[in-house]
Amino acid sequence: MPIHQDNDLSYQKLTWNLFKECLFQPLFYGPAAAGIFLGFIDQPVLALGAFLASTISLSYYFLLGKAPRKRIQQQIEDQIQHNDEERTRLDQESREELHQKLDERGRSHFENLIKLEQILDEKITNLGNQLVVNQLMQMSREVTFESIKSLKSRITYKSLLEQFDVQKLQQDLNETKSKYEDEKDINLKREYRQTIQALTNELNQLKKLETAMEQLEQDIITAQSSLRGTILLVSQPQSADHTSRLEQQVAKLRDEVEVAKKVNQELADFGINPQVKA
């Protein structure tokens, strides 16, 4: 599962939430409103005093208010935890549903991916909190995420391919071409030509889909191999070039994710609208 950017406990987010709460404090907006009113009735000294009181209140609450800052921080942490738990629950439900739909080979791929993901998470967690380690964890999760997407695509397009008889389409195309060559009637030849074009287009689409499916299968196998290689790498003792090798592995995983995304996108964009039924 990819790392999401909404789980943010940054200083900027905490400060912005605290500032928004400050604006709704009576000790801020009360004197500010009074200052505006006094300004309208031509009491500049009193208005200035009210604005000063409002500013002091804002400054105290914003800069020195440890209790509200701590409370807002806890709210953000609770929301992050809730989001993580909900996302984990939905992801688990989605994975269980996918597992039930997969065929034997797909189920084997899926189970291997989940097992490798669990082992790798444990291994990487033990490496500590370094930038390259965090990057490695993120890219490893992206590899698993894209592979699971590939397995979902595999179900959809494998089912689609099974609806077509490529050999029958090829036979129909050959027979139509033969009829076209022997036909003397111009109108019939035009109809045969249109049929030939439709059958050719459909066959070409199916061949492209078969090629993409083969690439998808290879990507899933490559992902498992890369995750195993990553596990071996992070299991090795620390050495002088360990960080460098981790960085190389991050780059390798990133490249594989891009390839998997491209194949998944090609399948997602794939459309077969047969003009002639098989």
Side-chain angles (χ1 to χ4, degrees):
M1 183 170 54
I3 296 174
H4 294 261
Q5 298 300 323
D6 56 340
N7 284 2
D8 179 17
L9 192 57
S10 65
Y11 175 79
Q12 289 81 359
K13 182 171 184 177
L14 177 60
T15 301
W16 173 239
N17 282 16
L18 180 61
F19 180 74
K20 287 190 295 184
E21 182 161 314
C22 291
L23 299 180
F24 291 95
Q25 292 301 310
L27 289 177
F28 167 73
Y29 67 75
I36 294 173
F37 174 74
L38 291 170
F40 274 120
I41 63 174
D42 198 21
Q43 296 289 333
V45 176
L46 293 177
L48 182 60
F51 285 130
L52 182 60
S54 179
T55 302
I56 292 173
S57 174
L58 176 64
S59 300
Y60 177 83
Y61 194 88
F62 185 72
L63 298 175
L64 303 176
K66 294 182 179 180
R69 184 179 293 272
K70 185 176 181 180
R71 175 170 47 78
I72 291 175
Q73 180 173 349
Q74 187 61 49
Q75 289 175 352
I76 296 175
E77 289 176 346
D78 290 344
Q79 185 61 46
I80 288 174
Q81 182 177 355
H82 173 75
N83 291 345
D84 284 342
E85 290 174 353
E86 183 66 12
R87 191 175 294 120
T88 299
R89 183 185 67 80
L90 293 174
D91 183 60
Q92 185 62 34
E93 290 179 358
S94 175
R95 289 184 173 191
E96 290 174 358
E97 182 180 354
L98 174 61
H99 187 265
Q100 294 173 1
K101 292 181 179 179
L102 289 167
D103 58 16
E104 184 177 353
R105 181 169 179 77
R107 195 173 294 117
S108 175
H109 284 322
F110 178 83
E111 292 171 354
N112 285 337
L113 284 167
I114 300 306
K115 187 183 299 181
L116 291 168
E117 179 188 50
Q118 292 171 346
I119 295 173
L120 189 53
D121 277 353
E122 181 180 346
K123 294 284 187 181
I124 291 180
T125 301
N126 294 332
L127 289 180
N129 186 23
Q130 306 173 38
L131 177 59
V132 67
V133 172
N134 293 335
Q135 291 175 338
L136 189 62
M137 178 177 287
Q138 179 176 350
M139 294 315 306
S140 298
R141 288 178 177 173
E142 289 282 359
V143 166
T144 305
F145 178 75
E146 288 300 326
S147 296
I148 290 177
K149 278 180 62 177
S150 297
L151 286 171
K152 292 178 180 178
S153 298
R154 185 176 180 274
I155 293 174
T156 301
Y157 293 101
K158 187 171 182 289
S159 175
L160 179 60
L161 279 173
E162 289 172 351
Q163 297 176 25
F164 295 87
D165 187 337
V166 177
Q167 290 184 344
K168 179 65 165 56
L169 283 172
Q170 187 64 58
Q171 181 181 345
D172 290 345
L173 177 59
N174 293 337
E175 291 176 356
T176 305
K177 285 181 177 179
S178 178
K179 292 178 181 178
Y180 173 80
E181 294 296 334
D182 295 338
E183 185 58 55
K184 304 300 182 184
D185 187 281
I186 295 177
N187 292 327
L188 286 176
K189 285 181 75 72
R190 184 184 302 112
E191 292 181 8
Y192 283 138
R193 187 161 57 246
Q194 292 173 348
T195 302
I196 290 170
Q197 187 61 52
L199 288 169
T200 301
N201 290 342
E202 191 169 335
L203 278 168
N204 288 339
Q205 284 184 301
L206 289 172
K207 288 176 181 178
K208 288 179 181 179
L209 180 55
E210 286 178 336
T211 300
M213 289 287 290
E214 290 172 0
Q215 180 63 54
L216 180 147
E217 178 81 10
Q218 185 57 50
D219 288 345
I220 296 172
I221 294 172
T222 300
Q224 295 173 66
S225 176
S226 296
L227 292 175
R228 290 190 188 95
T230 306
I231 290 172
L232 290 174
L233 177 60
V234 299
S235 300
Q236 294 174 1
Q238 296 285 345
S239 60
D241 65 338
H242 194 247
T243 299
S244 175
R245 286 186 289 131
L246 290 179
E247 291 173 345
Q248 292 174 7
Q249 188 68 9
V250 169
K252 179 182 177 182
L253 294 178
R254 184 179 291 113
D255 290 342
E256 290 180 7
V257 167
E258 290 305 314
V259 171
K261 283 182 177 180
K262 182 178 179 181
V263 174
N264 278 324
Q265 188 58 50
E266 287 176 357
L267 287 170
D269 294 340
F270 214 96
I272 292 186
N273 300 310
Q275 301 176 36
V276 178
K277 295 290 185 181

